[in-house]
Amino acid sequence: MNNASLRPLGRLVGKLRAALPALSGLLLTVLPALTGAAGPMKIGIVGAGNMGGNLAELWADAGHEVMISSRHPEELKAQAQAIGPNVHVGTAREAAAFGPVVVIAMPYGQWPNVSDEIKAETAGKTVIDLTNPYPERDGPMAEQARQEGTGVADPKYLPGAHLVRAFNSIIYTNLQSLAHRAGDPVAIPVAGDDEHALEVTDQLVRDAGFEPVMVGPLSKAELFDVGSEVYVKVMTAAELREALGLAKD
Ligand SMILES: NC(=O)c1ccc[n+]([C@@H]2O[C@H](COP(=O)([O-])OP(=O)(O)OC[C@H]3O[C@@H](n4cnc5c(N)ncnc54)[C@H](OP(=O)(O)O)[C@@H]3O)[C@@H](O)[C@H]2O)c1
């Protein structure tokens, strides 16, 4: 069996984990081993909107424990309940403290505020950053980030965190409709410096129903930032590698 034919099985493992927590015996031990799926992770998401909400659903479906967050966490309860029992709600700080993986899915202009709120919690953790700077929405700090590239501009907000850029270059409607599509999966470009954080991200991209393409160190995130040739283009991994001039896998 190849990876593509095993994907639906991996998704089934996640659904089983989420729906039947009591069934933690033989079946759930054997199926992940067969599919190559990793065990459940605890993922805290800063944001619960188009990106954060859809990723929460994809990862909850894959069997992970997820916390979505916003400045109004009490308003997120119905959203979390609609996804499943493995989705929790909290503040940004609570999401950052929730587990070893944190995802930043808020408007770029919120970085200075949120940085102060969560940086004590994110040091040493895998932090997946999908924020994109839009000066018309986010103000002058976004203009500077456009010039520097997000891989250079963003780490200052979370010192000591193992930052990875991923999921910034896919429109949320494609997250919803193209996850786990039949045939070759849609590629997600990924850049980061920490090996473990990259491994975790690789797994979470796959669990969300996409294929990671490792582009290089964090400083190379500019290759798929806003305005780049590949930004929000729907491509297979082979097409993305060719567009970015990367070696074939
Ligand atoms: N939309 C896309 O297709 C897409 C694709 C790739 C990347 N992105 C990037 O992803 C990020 C999120 O985009 P989105 O479309 O998901 O935005 P969105 O739908 O407006 O959601 C933003 C979320 O962030 C929360 N938030 C804002 N400020 C916060 C704070 N200080 N603390 C905690 N939560 C806060 C919001 O909740 P409250 O306002 O209630 O606090 C909301 O849940 C942006 O940087 C965007 O550029 C978007």
Side-chain angles (χ1 to χ4, degrees):
M1 267 191 288
N2 61 28
N3 280 346
S5 63
L6 284 172
R7 259 194 313 277
L9 198 54
R11 198 164 163 77
L12 175 64
V13 172
K15 294 266 185 205
L16 279 172
R17 276 193 189 125
L20 301 169
L23 244 190
S24 58
L26 186 65
L27 187 62
L28 296 184
T29 310
V30 171
L31 278 181
L34 278 175
T35 61
M41 291 185 227
K42 290 186 82 174
I43 307 163
I45 305 180
V46 178
N50 295 321
M51 294 301 290
N54 279 298
L55 282 170
E57 185 163 356
L58 291 170
W59 285 326
D61 281 354
H64 298 295
E65 285 290 315
V66 184
M67 180 179 282
I68 51 175
S69 69
S70 78
R71 290 165 294 186
H72 316 96
E74 67 288 351
E75 294 171 11
L76 302 176
K77 284 182 183 163
Q79 182 184 352
Q81 273 167 11
I83 301 175
N86 51 344
V87 181
H88 312 268
V89 305
T91 63
R93 186 193 290 268
E94 286 166 340
F98 183 64
V101 184
V102 183
V103 178
I104 311 294
M106 68 202 181
Y108 198 87
Q110 289 295 317
W111 263 119
N113 299 331
V114 170
S115 162
D116 284 344
E117 192 178 345
I118 71 172
K119 65 185 173 196
E121 303 291 349
T122 52
K125 293 186 179 182
T126 296
V127 177
I128 299 175
D129 167 22
L130 56 84
T131 59
N132 285 320
Y134 282 94
E136 59 277 24
R137 178 191 65 189
D138 302 310
M141 50 82 82
E143 188 60 60
Q144 195 185 337
R146 284 276 185 99
Q147 285 161 18
E148 291 177 340
T150 54
V152 173
D154 297 5
K156 66 175 172 284
Y157 295 116
L158 297 180
H162 302 309
L163 210 67
V164 178
R165 291 281 298 170
F167 290 110
N168 72 295
S169 183
I170 181 164
I171 293 175
Y172 79 97
T173 46
N174 288 335
L175 262 188
Q176 288 174 322
S177 62
L178 298 179
H180 301 283
R181 76 171 178 185
D184 289 335
V186 173
I188 298 288
V190 175
D193 295 333
D194 182 82
E195 200 177 323
H196 174 69
L198 288 170
E199 279 168 16
V200 169
T201 305
D202 179 294
Q203 186 63 51
L204 289 178
V205 170
R206 291 177 199 280
D207 289 351
F210 297 91
E211 182 165 348
V213 168
M214 296 300 161
V215 169
L218 199 51
S219 58
K220 292 286 181 193
E222 63 180 3
L223 292 176
F224 53 96
D225 267 347
V226 183
S228 67
E229 229 177 85
V230 303
Y231 182 65
V232 299
K233 298 247 169 71
V234 174
M235 294 184 193
T236 64
E239 289 166 347
L240 180 59
R241 280 194 196 95
E242 188 174 345
L244 293 178
L246 300 172
K248 287 185 183 145
D249 206 17

